[in-house]
Amino acid sequence: MEVTAHHRLFGGDLKFVRHEAASTGTSMALSVFVPDGEGPHPVLVWLSGLTCTANNFTEKAGAYKRAAELGLMIVAPDTSPRGDGVANDEGYDLGQGAGFYVDATEAPWAAHFQMESYVTKDVLSLIAEHFPADMTRVGISGHSMGGHGALTLAMNHPHHFKSMSAFAPIASPLNCPWGQKALTAYLGEDRTAWQRHDAAALIAQGRASGFDDILIDQGLGDQFLETQLKPHLLEQAASGAGQKITVRRHAGYDHSYYFITSFIDDHLAFHAERLKG
C-alpha cells in the first residue's frame, strides 16, 4: 500500500491510497478518512457512480466534518479497474469508470472487471490490515451506479455489512437501459445471472430481512429518475416482502453532488446509529 497524499482535517486524517489488487490484477486507488482517536472505528464504505473516480466523493460530498463528529471512518474506492491493457468502451456507461460492482464473466471484461470481489475482499482486507477499523461494524452507501452496488453488495454479503443506504440508486438493472447494457456485457445474455445484482429483485426475495431499514434519497429534479433509477420498484418489492424502506423524495434536487452534499449528514447519522448502537 502506498499513501499518495495525506491531509489533516476536522481532527482526523484523510489519506489517498494506491495498492495492488488481487481481484482486478491492477493498481487501484481509494481514499480513507480516519477520525481522531485510537479506534477501532466503525466504517462506512462509499461507492461512487458512473464516470466517477475515488476522488469524486472525497472532494465534493462534504462528509468529513460530520464523520469526525460521529467517529466514523469513510472508505471511498474507485469505480473500476483502469490502465493499459484494461478493456474499455467508447460509452461512458461501460468499461473504465463503469464497473457496476459485479464480477464479470464475459470477455474481454472478466480479466480485470471483478469489482464485487474487489470491494468485498481487497478493500475490506486492506482496511482491516492498515487502519484502526472495527470490521464487525461496517456499513455501505453510494450514489447512482454506486447506490446499486451498495444495496446489492449489502444484501449479497450481509456478513460484511450491517447497514445500507443510497442516493438515487439504480433500483433495478434488469429494467433500465444502463443496467441492461452493463449486465449483458459483463455477465452475458442469461438474465438469471443478473438477479443477484438487482436490488429490487433481492428485496423481493427477502434478502434484506437482516436490515432494520434502508434509507434512500432521491431528487425529483433528477434527469434519470424515470428512465434509469425507478425507486418505486424498491418500494414495491419492499411492500411485498414486508421490508422496511425509507424513500425520501426531494423537490428540485438533481443527480449531482449538490444533492449528495445536501443530505449526506443524514446518511452518516443513519449508519452511525446502526454501527455504534
Side-chain angles (χ1 to χ4, degrees), residues 151-180:
L151 300 180
T152 58
L153 294 189
M155 286 185 276
N156 283 318
H157 301 273
H159 52 293
H160 287 318
F161 303 108
K162 306 305 179 187
S163 57
M164 61 172 156
S165 73
F167 287 82
I170 300 172
S172 180
L174 282 84
N175 293 291
C176 74
W178 277 343
Q180 291 163 1

Side-chain angles (χ1 to χ4, degrees), residues 101-120:
Y101 305 102
V102 303
D103 285 351
T105 57
E106 299 295 305
W109 313 105
H112 300 292
F113 281 74
Q114 302 293 309
M115 289 301 294
E116 179 178 4
S117 290
Y118 173 66
V119 173
T120 59

Side-chain angles (χ1 to χ4, degrees), residues 39-193:
H41 304 287
V43 179
L44 178 64
V45 176
W46 172 271
L47 304 182
S48 290
L50 289 168
T51 75
C52 289
T53 70
N55 292 7
N56 288 73
F57 175 88
T58 308
E59 297 172 352
K60 296 180 179 180
Y64 298 127
K65 184 177 188 293
R66 187 62 176 138
E69 295 169 350
L70 294 169
L72 191 64
M73 282 184 59
I74 303 182
V75 179
D78 202 350
T79 53
S80 79
R82 300 177 192 271
D84 295 338
V86 176
N88 203 6
D89 186 84
E90 292 182 356
Y92 73 94
D93 51 358
L94 185 67
Q96 296 187 36
F100 260 80
Y101 305 102
V102 303
D103 285 351
T105 57
E106 299 295 305
W109 313 105
H112 300 292
F113 281 74
Q114 302 293 309
M115 289 301 294
E116 179 178 4
S117 290
Y118 173 66
V119 173
T120 59
K121 296 178 181 178
D122 295 78
V123 170
L124 296 185
S125 295
L126 182 81
I127 299 307
E129 181 177 356
H130 294 284
F131 295 91
D134 183 347
M135 303 309 293
T136 67
R137 298 185 294 163
V138 181
I140 190 166
S141 186
H143 172 229
S144 193
M145 177 187 72
H148 138 78
L151 300 180
T152 58
L153 294 189
M155 286 185 276
N156 283 318
H157 301 273
H159 52 293
H160 287 318
F161 303 108
K162 306 305 179 187
S163 57
M164 61 172 156
S165 73
F167 287 82
I170 300 172
S172 180
L174 282 84
N175 293 291
C176 74
W178 277 343
Q180 291 163 1
K181 178 179 178 178
L183 296 186
T184 298
Y186 295 142
L187 303 177
E189 298 283 353
D190 183 2
R191 289 194 169 208
T192 59

Side-chain angles (χ1 to χ4, degrees), residues 158-238:
H159 52 293
H160 287 318
F161 303 108
K162 306 305 179 187
S163 57
M164 61 172 156
S165 73
F167 287 82
I170 300 172
S172 180
L174 282 84
N175 293 291
C176 74
W178 277 343
Q180 291 163 1
K181 178 179 178 178
L183 296 186
T184 298
Y186 295 142
L187 303 177
E189 298 283 353
D190 183 2
R191 289 194 169 208
T192 59
W194 301 10
Q195 290 284 330
R196 68 183 301 274
H197 303 291
D198 186 291
L202 291 173
I203 292 172
Q205 295 164 16
R207 298 286 293 278
S209 60
F211 299 87
D212 69 321
D213 196 4
I214 307 168
L215 176 60
I216 307 293
D217 274 305
Q218 175 63 61
L220 293 179
D222 191 321
Q223 66 269 41
F224 304 114
L225 175 59
E226 300 297 332
T227 57
Q228 304 283 10
L229 306 178
K230 306 183 180 182
H232 66 281
L233 296 179
L234 297 176
E235 293 172 305
Q236 290 174 2

